[in-house]
Amino acid sequence: MVTLLTDTKESVLAEARVDGECLWLSGTDLEAATGWSPRPQGLCRGDVCVPLPTAREFVRTGQIDVAAVWRFLGKPIVHSDDGSVWVLGEAASDRAATLRSLQAPDFTLPDVAGRMHSLSDHRGKKVLLVSWASW
């Protein structure tokens, strides 16, 4: 059993197989955990497809080496010593592009009365975000 963390979710994958620096997942598990799915064009997420070179061994016996693919995409990946937890990070260039856009990601939080408010409800208006932490 492997826990896989991405920027958007945590997935517990019972069928994952760890072999040293390789993390082998089925196409179904890969899509559920990351949104990337194997297609004839390569790996795709939405309308974006990344062709995988045939010279590298990314696919074996119906499973995909997610660690090798992530490294090929130039994204950071780390895992625990025993291989039970893997983290798929975002590339620095992707994070920099998000920061340059100056657009905050959407989120939804309740006010003190329990009514939900989303940042996207206020797009096009000036919004002051105030945060506080007890630590």
Side-chain angles (χ1 to χ4, degrees):
M1 183 152 336
V2 169
T3 301
L4 184 64
L5 304 171
T6 66
D7 60 332
T8 58
K9 69 190 304 187
E10 173 183 338
S11 304
V12 177
L13 307 167
E15 302 298 318
R17 189 170 53 85
V18 176
D19 183 15
E21 294 298 313
C22 299
L23 175 60
W24 296 96
L25 298 179
S26 68
T28 305
D29 281 349
L30 175 65
E31 185 170 12
T34 67
W36 290 93
S37 62
R39 296 190 194 149
Q41 308 91 316
L43 283 182
C44 302
R45 185 161 81 179
D47 294 335
V48 176
C49 289
V50 177
L52 297 177
T54 56
R56 294 196 175 177
E57 194 172 304
F58 292 111
V59 180
R60 184 187 315 159
T61 62
Q63 290 191 317
I64 300 161
D65 182 1
V66 178
V69 169
W70 221 249
R71 289 183 197 101
F72 175 73
L73 294 174
K75 298 175 181 262
I77 182 168
V78 295
H79 62 82
S80 61
D81 287 339
D82 65 356
S84 63
V85 178
W86 291 70
V87 180
L88 305 178
E90 284 299 313
S93 60
D94 295 342
R95 289 190 310 273
T98 300
L99 289 173
R100 278 192 302 276
S101 77
L102 296 178
Q103 186 161 344
D106 192 28
F107 57 87
T108 303
L109 294 172
D111 63 15
V112 293
R115 292 177 302 219
M116 300 303 284
H117 298 274
S118 295
L119 183 60
S120 61
D121 295 341
H122 305 284
R123 292 275 185 231
K125 302 174 191 171
K126 291 183 180 181
V127 176
L128 173 65
L129 299 176
V130 179
S131 62
W132 176 82
S134 62
W135 41 270

